[in-house]
Amino acid sequence: MTVFHTPHGARFPLSGVLLALAAGAAMAAYLLLSKKAGARSTGGGPLALAVAWAAALTVPLGVVDQRTELLAPPGFCWPGSR
């Protein structure tokens, strides 16, 4: 069974392939570590810690990329801004 069909002569950029493989490896690690953390404790503590850690790792990247636009998404109004 063919999962992806590419036209003859099409090429995948190496950087994109490597990023996709890294994303898959990161997701696999996340799932395995979440399973271990869930088996060791009850409640949502490990999940809350994982979400907070993910935010701590990704929010700075968003701030660098979007600067102040990150603070004012469409439809979001600061009190007194209108």
Side-chain angles (χ1 to χ4, degrees):
M1 173 160 89
T2 303
V3 178
F4 297 107
H5 173 71
T6 57
H8 181 68
R11 295 178 159 251
F12 293 109
L14 180 61
S15 60
V17 172
L18 292 176
L19 286 172
L21 290 173
M27 181 56 76
Y30 171 77
L31 292 172
L32 292 173
L33 291 172
S34 293
K35 184 178 178 182
K36 270 189 174 181
R40 290 185 181 178
S41 65
T42 60
L47 177 59
L49 183 61
V51 170
W53 182 245
L57 292 175
T58 57
V59 167
L61 297 173
V63 171
V64 167
D65 185 48
Q66 296 294 314
R67 295 179 189 82
T68 58
E69 293 295 317
L70 186 67
L71 300 174
F76 185 81
C77 297
W78 289 101
S81 64
R82 287 190 181 198

